[in-house]
Amino acid sequence: MEANEAKIEESVVPVTDTIGALEKEIADPIVYQLVRVDGSGRLVPATQDEIMVVEDFLEDDKCEPKHVPDTRHISESVKTERYLLERNPFQVPEGKLESEYPEVGAEKSNVLVDPVPDLGKIEAPEKVAVHGLAPCSEVSNFDLSVRTEVGSNPQDAPNEDAPSTSAAGSSLKPDFSKLEGKICLDNLTVKELQETFKAAFGRETSVKDKQWLKRRITMGLTNSCDFSCTTFIIRDNVVVRKGEEQICHRVKSRISADSEDGVAKPDSGGSVGDHDNRINDDADFSGADVSSSTFESCKVTKDLYTEQRTAKRARKPTKRYIEELSEIESRESSEKLSSPDKTSRYRFACPETHKRPTKNVRSNARPLVTRQDSLGGSGVQIPFVSRIRRSRPRENFMPLLKLQPCGMDMSTRQVSSAFAVSGRQEDDKINNDLINTSSSPGWTQQPLIAACEEDKHYSGMKIAELENDIELNDCSENNSDDNVVTVPTQKGGMRRKHHRPWTINEVVKLVEGVARYGAGRWSEIKRLAFASCPYRTSVDLKDKWRNLLKASFVQLPAEKGILNSRKQASVPIPAPILSRVRELADMQGQIQPILSTGKSSGHSSSGRSVHEARSGFL
DNA sequence: ATTAGGG
DNA sequence: CCCTAAT
């Protein structure tokens, strides 16, 4: 990969024949060097993130590092540029070129000097384009300047490797002394790769994935100025001395040259000097002869490209994969290296998540602790990543427990326990409200009422204020980890990452909302009662209501046998609530629109009447 | 944009 | 929950 190394050297050393250089470029393995051009035209090493982006972008265009035509891309704003290039191989280049180069003082832009290692894929045209864009001589020239800049720039270091961020500064210093002689990454065992990794990055890694390691190493070294200072370069996944590399190049050049039948080098003989000049002239970006050489280059590339294609392409690990591994890695290293604080923190975090299984189990049978194994494939557990966080334990749990002792039936008990886990005061308010209102109609909730009686005052006062501010209530769930819940979907809008179990609290709010605004006014309810719950769309409310309704009708009959509810495997919605739901269902059809009618219509009205009335209303 | 309903 | 059709 490290074609660049060779390049640098070249600049110092006599670059004897330009053609050779040119060839070399074509034959060289490719290396990504992502840099950004700042306002003053200076080249700033790209951040790991930027690199990632690019990688991602190029992901599909990669093939094996080996046998990759040494093309060097200089493109800015890779995404668009590249796209353009693919579309318009022969045009985009020139125009863009000028405006983009630093000297021109282009605005901040990303420049990708990129002899791509695993590029050379199906996009032959692209390469072609690239060549057109930057005539080899110029390219290499540019490349050199970049190199130099970067190399001397201290900022280059950080750019080296992302996961290393957490590594202790001390051990960060790479130790290339361990990279003696030539190393073929392909032949190394995982362990050896890890060693190499350590040597290269100065930190340990536990990653077992060869691909990843190799990639990381090559990538890292490529971008490492430390390494740049060594006499090694990376080529085809093999770390070799620069000298050897040169030889390689020469050979390859020759070969390719021959195979090209001279087509590859238009100016082969005469323009040698020309090339040299250009190489030494940073400012020479005139697209003058670009076009001419472009075509030839293209041909070469194309052919080479075709050859390479035969090799099977290795799938690059996805960005996410890398990130995750990195994450794990950094955690590991931080655990080792960092102060005990962190460790202890984790220790606390863990138990906490387990402490509240109740909450998770409640309404939906679904365990929802899933986060724990979100790393899935890798088989690694990431229990304490921020994502898991849940609402804090309820402080006022005791007062609620008071309900338990009062000979409640199971259903009631569930209600209270549900309260307990729902966490937060408003829950109480709401729940109590529910209980009161629902009990008032005089349904089958005697036990509950009784149980709550002594608590009435406690809840009662709140009810008053609550009556008017259902909408003001926050969902107890609307805590921070909600952010993570919604995830962008490639094909469509946002998708919820995990099911968000409805808390009784929410259910209550929904029920109350329906009671107030009527079933069907989902957007209203959403706006007023669930304003604080960004998740829970009106559709969600609707769906939930649908479910509740269904559940209520199913469960109500069974409600006689209170113990029944207990038998339910997932006993989500407390019977009282369901009662209320059904009650509302009835009301929806009749009294809901106009309160006055309330009295006449008994709860006797059956589902059918409900539907009728409802349809009439809606 | 909101709703209703099916998947 | 997601998606779609109908309003």
Side-chain angles (χ1 to χ4, degrees):
Chain A
M1 305 189 82
E2 213 18 40
N4 299 304
E5 306 313 330
K7 292 285 148 31
I8 292 182
E9 200 161 314
E10 273 181 312
S11 66
V12 185
V13 181
V15 184
T16 47
D17 87 337
T18 322
I19 298 171
L22 185 153
E23 298 294 5
K24 195 188 294 179
E25 286 176 359
I26 296 171
D28 272 350
I30 304 159
V31 172
Y32 286 112
Q33 176 64 47
L34 188 61
V35 296
R36 187 182 56 241
V37 182
D38 65 12
S40 59
R42 273 180 54 109
L43 294 168
V44 183
T47 66
Q48 186 63 29
D49 278 352
E50 288 171 307
I51 291 176
M52 291 298 250
V53 173
V54 176
E55 269 189 81
D56 231 51
F57 186 76
L58 296 178
E59 180 173 342
D60 289 335
D61 303 29
K62 305 200 170 179
C63 70
E64 289 197 280
K66 304 185 174 186
H67 318 319
V68 176
D70 156 23
T71 12
R72 233 155 275 169
H73 294 211
I74 298 184
S75 56
E76 80 133 23
S77 172
V78 188
K79 287 182 179 174
T80 56
E81 177 93 284
R82 197 162 193 266
Y83 180 78
L84 289 175
L85 287 179
E86 290 181 10
R87 302 277 149 200
N88 234 335
F90 297 89
Q91 296 176 18
V92 186
E94 282 118 25
K96 282 250 171 185
L97 189 66
E98 296 182 1
S99 60
E100 269 147 49
Y101 281 60
E103 58 162 321
V104 185
E107 50 173 275
K108 195 175 278 185
S109 61
N110 288 319
V111 176
L112 176 62
V113 180
D114 129 68
V116 188
D118 14 11
L119 186 58
K121 194 195 104 187
I122 316 175
E123 275 93 339
E126 178 183 351
K127 289 206 168 101
V128 174
V130 172
H131 273 290
L133 187 161
C136 294
S137 53
E138 293 180 1
V139 175
S140 60
N141 182 13
F142 184 71
D143 205 13
L144 283 174
S145 58
V146 173
R147 273 285 150 196
T148 317
E149 264 273 28
V150 172
S152 59
N153 189 341
Q155 282 186 347
D156 193 36
N159 145 36
E160 173 178 314
D161 191 43
S164 65
T165 47
S166 63
S170 58
S171 61
L172 257 174
K173 189 71 182 172
D175 177 10
F176 295 110
S177 64
K178 294 181 181 176
L179 296 179
E180 282 306 323
K182 153 177 180 174
I183 301 173
C184 180
L185 298 179
D186 286 325
N187 295 334
L188 296 182
T189 64
V190 172
K191 191 174 181 184
E192 289 169 323
L193 282 171
Q194 290 181 338
E195 287 296 317
T196 309
F197 185 94
K198 184 179 178 184
F201 302 118
R203 66 192 179 80
E204 307 242 353
T205 180
S206 58
V207 177
K208 303 283 197 302
D209 187 290
K210 273 193 172 187
Q211 267 319 109
W212 188 89
L213 285 168
K214 282 191 287 190
R215 187 176 180 74
R216 215 70 198 179
I217 292 170
T218 49
M219 272 279 297
L221 293 186
T222 293
N223 294 319
S224 163
C225 67
D226 290 296
F227 185 75
S228 302
C229 298
T230 68
T231 55
F232 296 100
I233 63 173
I234 302 177
R235 178 189 171 66
D236 294 350
N237 260 356
V238 179
V239 178
V240 296
R241 293 200 122 84
K242 282 173 184 172
E244 301 175 30
E245 173 67 2
Q246 298 259 350
I247 296 173
C248 266
H249 282 295
R250 296 245 187 289
V251 177
K252 283 207 172 182
S253 305
R254 210 161 260 328
I255 295 174
S256 61
D258 290 337
S259 63
E260 276 327 313
D261 241 350
V263 182
K265 352 149 207 153
D267 328 302
S268 48
S271 50
V272 170
D274 216 31
H275 278 299
D276 273 337
N277 289 335
R278 228 171 255 139
I279 289 182
N280 294 325
D281 180 354
D282 282 2
D284 183 7
F285 286 107
S286 61
D289 63 358
V290 174
S291 51
S292 62
S293 58
T294 297
F295 228 76
E296 322 299 337
S297 313
C298 298
K299 280 195 173 181
V300 179
T301 339
K302 193 172 179 180
D303 285 343
L304 284 174
Y305 159 77
T306 320
E307 288 177 353
Q308 339 270 11
R309 277 197 62 176
T310 37
K312 196 176 182 180
R313 225 176 306 147
R315 174 80 182 174
K316 188 202 99 182
T318 62
K319 181 181 176 184
R320 180 162 181 228
Y321 179 57
I322 293 176
E323 281 174 344
E324 286 175 344
L325 285 178
S326 302
E327 199 177 305
I328 299 167
E329 236 182 299
S330 55
R331 182 165 58 247
E332 286 175 350
S333 56
S334 57
E335 270 179 8
K336 287 184 207 160
L337 306 170
S338 67
S339 58
D341 307 336
K342 270 185 181 173
T343 317
S344 57
R345 247 189 56 204
Y346 290 142
R347 289 189 163 288
F348 278 77
C350 236
E352 185 182 331
T353 61
H354 291 303
K355 263 185 181 174
R356 276 170 284 167
T358 16
K359 176 175 183 178
N360 297 335
V361 185
R362 63 176 183 298
S363 43
N364 283 347
R366 236 174 263 216
L368 128 62
V369 206
T370 54
R371 257 79 182 272
Q372 301 260 9
D373 59 349
S374 56
L375 260 192
S378 64
V380 183
Q381 300 259 315
I382 48 167
F384 20 65
V385 184
S386 56
R387 303 145 90 186
I388 316 184
R389 222 198 85 291
R390 296 236 99 77
S391 60
R392 65 185 190 289
R394 156 192 225 82
E395 308 91 332
N396 51 345
F397 185 85
M398 288 316 284
L400 289 170
L401 283 182
K402 247 168 55 183
L403 296 173
Q404 299 262 12
C406 310
M408 314 162 84
D409 51 68
M410 281 319 281
S411 65
T412 311
R413 193 170 247 114
Q414 282 158 20
V415 177
S416 56
S417 66
F419 288 3
V421 288
S422 63
R424 271 218 189 156
Q425 316 134 346
E426 344 122 28
D427 295 351
D428 312 328
K429 299 200 292 183
I430 300 181
N431 290 322
N432 286 320
D433 181 36
L434 166 78
I435 292 173
N436 285 294
T437 53
S438 64
S439 51
S440 55
W443 279 75
T444 13
Q445 298 152 8
Q446 303 318 318
L448 176 62
I449 295 175
C452 293
E453 241 158 19
E454 37 182 2
D455 264 19
K456 278 260 169 100
H457 50 288
Y458 161 74
S459 55
M461 47 204 313
K462 287 177 182 172
I463 295 174
E465 57 183 21
L466 179 81
E467 279 297 359
N468 297 322
D469 62 4
I470 292 181
E471 51 274 359
L472 298 183
N473 286 310
D474 304 297
C475 305
S476 61
E477 303 319 297
N478 71 354
N479 32 46
S480 40
D481 67 343
D482 297 15
N483 326 338
V484 195
V485 178
T486 181
V487 157
T489 299
Q490 307 75 353
K491 100 179 193 299
M494 295 299 240
R495 179 190 165 175
R496 291 180 186 66
K497 198 170 188 178
H498 299 296
H499 262 276
R500 194 190 207 85
W502 279 73
T503 64
I504 32 83
N505 164 29
E506 287 174 313
V507 171
V508 170
K509 280 200 297 191
L510 173 59
V511 172
E512 288 306 302
V514 171
R516 293 197 164 208
Y517 313 106
R521 311 286 266 262
W522 308 118
S523 58
E524 282 279 294
I525 300 175
K526 207 291 182 195
R527 243 192 9 267
L528 299 171
F530 286 79
S532 53
C533 304
Y535 50 95
R536 304 306 183 208
T537 68
S538 56
V539 175
D540 292 328
L541 301 186
K542 182 216 61 180
D543 287 336
K544 185 52 179 177
W545 179 254
R546 183 171 43 175
N547 291 336
L548 285 174
L549 218 54
K550 196 168 67 179
S552 72
F553 281 106
V554 171
Q555 202 158 310
L556 260 185
E559 195 178 33
K560 315 161 194 168
I562 310 159
L563 293 181
N564 277 336
S565 56
R566 187 182 70 84
K567 289 174 184 175
Q568 311 275 320
S570 55
V571 196
I573 294 89
I577 296 180
L578 287 179
S579 301
R580 173 97 168 116
V581 170
R582 214 191 78 162
E583 173 194 346
L584 286 170
D586 282 346
M587 291 172 63
Q588 292 302 313
Q590 320 183 32
I591 32 182
Q592 208 270 333
I594 304 171
L595 244 83
S596 60
T597 2
K599 56 205 165 202
S600 68
S601 68
H603 23 279
S604 57
S605 55
S606 66
R608 180 187 55 232
S609 68
V610 170
H611 282 311
E612 289 174 11
R614 207 171 172 196
S615 61
F617 169 59
L618 295 175

